[in-house]
Each structure stands twice: as structure tokens, then as C-alpha cells.
Amino acid sequence: MMTSITSQAATPGPIVRAEDVHKSFGHTEVLRGIDLTVQPKETVVLIGPSGSGKTTFLRCINHLEKINGGRIYVGGHLIGYRREDDRIVEDSERNIAAQRARIGMVFQRFNLFPHMTALENVIEAPVHVKKVPKEQAIEIAKGLLVKVGLSEKANSYPSQLSGGQQQRVAIARALAMDPMLMLFDEATSALDPELVGEVLKVMEQLAVEGMSMVVVTHEMGFARHVADRVVFMDGGKVVEGGPPAQIFDSPQHERTKAFLSKIL
């Protein structure tokens, strides 16, 4: 049976530890020394203007983007790299894939397989990546579709689902891999406004249940009410971070104040 979400945080120490992370695309430096920790069961929301490096940093956490400097650890393990004698070298694709399997990620676009039903989308990775017996994977998937409020849509294809429903299937698909950490990259930005709430509700429930999460979003209501900690990024750096009330009501940095004054 799938391990309960609240047990995923058994790893001692931070679930994420980023140390002086740098990332460049060509001559453009996008991340300029990010230091950030995420504790087990903590929901950390990254906010900031477009181009501040939020999505790039999120993608570096599961090595979808290779970092140019620094270290990122998830669950105490160095992500994407390994120590070889006195050097740090890129890890094998097999090991990287195994690491990614424990990190769920939900993107702006739903990326569901169009030729598969909702249920088939959810069981695909557990069956073919984790080698979970199909019957067991189906039972897990059915439970997850109940969790995201889509039990009646198990046999529907993506083209028969609204954007919000597709994104909830994508969340169930990520949870089916029993992740220790969930990453959300603007999970509601591609949705019609009236569909945003149904996805945020699922994300909020995951936070209540103790899933460790890093969330990039422009939904400030979600950040204020659900986050344990809000981190403001700008220019590839962490400008400041703290409890939502501190960041939204008493920001310390002038750049944070200027950003919030424009969007609140």
C-alpha cells in the first residue's frame, strides 16, 4: 500500500537544502547564489516578478536544469551529482531518474497523455517506473482520484476534462509515485480564473496533511493563508523570507515592498 503522505517527512534534517546555487543560460546568470532550506512537512511559497529565477530554481531541485555552482540536497542526498574521490561529477542518468521518482512536480501545463484515461495517466509511472503491480496501482490511483475530487472521471480522457480537472489529475499522477517532496510551478496560471480555486483547494489539503512542498505562484491569497514561509526572489537571489504575515504586512526590504505594492 502507498505510504501515507504525513510519513514522507521521516528524513532527518531539511527535506531540501540549497547552498549557493548558481545557474546561467549562456551569458545570462539566472540564479546568483541561492541559499534555501525547506523543512519536512513545510510549505514554502516562492514569489517574485517574472524572470526572478523562481521556476529555474524549482527545476534545479529535481535536476531538470543542471546547476553551474553550489549544491542541492533533497532528503539528505545530493541531487544530480555524486562525489568521486575529491571531485563532484554528474551522476548517472539511472541514479538521477531514481532521485526524480521521489520528487513530484506539477507544471503550468498538464502534460497528460491524451490517449489515456485519467486512471491510466495516474497508474502509468507507478507501473512502468516503480514496477508496482497493476492491480495495486489501480487501487492507489482510485484513492488519489477521490482525494482530488475526480472519482467519477476515472475513465474520462483529457479532452473530456476541464483545465482544472486535468491539473488535478496531474497532481494525482505526481502523488502516485509516493513522493517525499512536491514541487508546483505556477500550477494554476494556465487555468481560467473560475477553475483556479479547485486546484488550490487540493494543494491546500496536501499542505494540511503534511506534504513537504515548494510552490511557485502568483496566487497571493494562497501564499498568505497556506504557506508556512514565503520567500521573495528577485534578480536570481533570495531577497527575504519569513512567515506570510511578516512578508505581506511588514516586509523589510524595499524591493519586496515595491513588488507587493503593485500586486496587492
Side-chain angles (χ1 to χ4, degrees):
M1 293 297 293
M2 188 174 79
T3 309
S4 67
I5 286 174
T6 52
S7 72
Q8 290 303 318
T11 305
I15 199 79
V16 178
R17 187 170 85 249
E19 302 175 346
D20 194 27
V21 173
H22 289 257
K23 172 64 181 177
S24 297
F25 294 103
H27 297 294
T28 303
E29 192 174 16
V30 178
L31 300 179
R32 305 182 182 191
I34 300 291
D35 292 298
L36 183 73
T37 58
V38 179
Q39 299 301 326
K41 302 187 180 183
E42 187 179 27
T43 296
V44 174
V45 174
L46 307 181
I47 66 171
S50 297
S52 58
K54 307 182 301 297
T55 288
T56 297
F57 177 61
L58 207 67
R59 291 173 62 84
C60 288
I61 292 176
N62 65 358
H63 204 63
L64 286 176
E65 297 290 353
K66 301 177 183 180
I67 61 177
N68 301 118
R71 304 280 187 273
I72 298 178
Y73 299 86
V74 175
H77 298 285
L78 187 62
I79 289 294
Y81 300 89
R82 58 184 170 82
R83 300 184 186 279
E84 188 174 275
D85 298 326
D86 294 329
R87 300 181 302 138
I88 298 292
V89 298
E90 189 163 11
D91 212 341
S92 68
E93 284 298 325
R94 181 178 180 179
N95 287 343
I96 292 170
Q99 291 176 324
R100 283 201 192 112
R102 300 304 312 280
I103 304 171
M105 188 161 185
V106 179
F107 301 86
Q108 295 180 31
R109 296 291 173 179
F110 326 122
N111 298 326
L112 299 179
F113 294 112
H115 62 289
M116 294 182 179
T117 64
L119 184 71
E120 289 168 341
N121 266 281
V122 176
I123 71 170
E124 175 72 9
V127 169
H128 292 99
V129 177
K130 294 185 72 175
K131 308 303 180 184
V132 175
K134 187 172 182 179
E135 295 76 14
Q136 182 182 349
I138 288 173
E139 288 306 305
I140 292 171
K142 286 180 177 178
L144 289 171
L145 289 173
V146 171
K147 176 187 284 290
V148 300
L150 290 174
S151 58
E152 76 286 359
K153 298 292 186 181
N155 295 316
S156 298
Y157 289 90
S159 62
Q160 299 170 311
L161 302 175
S162 70
Q165 290 170 336
Q166 290 185 59
Q167 193 62 296
R168 284 185 280 157
V169 173
I171 293 172
R173 179 179 59 182
L175 292 173
M177 290 295 284
D178 197 18
M180 70 171 72
L181 170 71
M182 284 287 288
L183 308 176
F184 291 88
D185 180 21
E186 296 283 10
T188 60
S189 66
L191 301 178
D192 292 334
E194 66 267 24
L195 302 178
V196 168
E198 64 190 50
V199 175
L200 294 180
K201 183 179 179 181
V202 172
M203 294 168 62
E204 181 175 0
Q205 185 59 35
L206 291 177
V208 169
E209 293 176 4
M211 173 59 76
S212 306
M213 303 197 298
V214 184
V215 181
V216 172
T217 187
H218 290 295
E219 298 292 337
M220 294 301 139
F222 176 88
R224 179 184 283 275
H225 296 296
V226 179
D228 296 300
R229 188 156 42 101
V230 175
V231 173
F232 174 67
M233 290 179 60
D234 188 37
K237 296 182 178 181
V238 171
V239 177
E240 66 176 301
Q246 174 189 320
I247 298 300
F248 288 111
D249 299 333
S250 304
Q252 301 300 301
H253 198 282
E254 289 302 320
R255 184 66 190 92
T256 314
K257 294 177 184 177
F259 173 76
L260 292 174
S261 70
K262 293 178 180 178
I263 63 170
L264 296 180

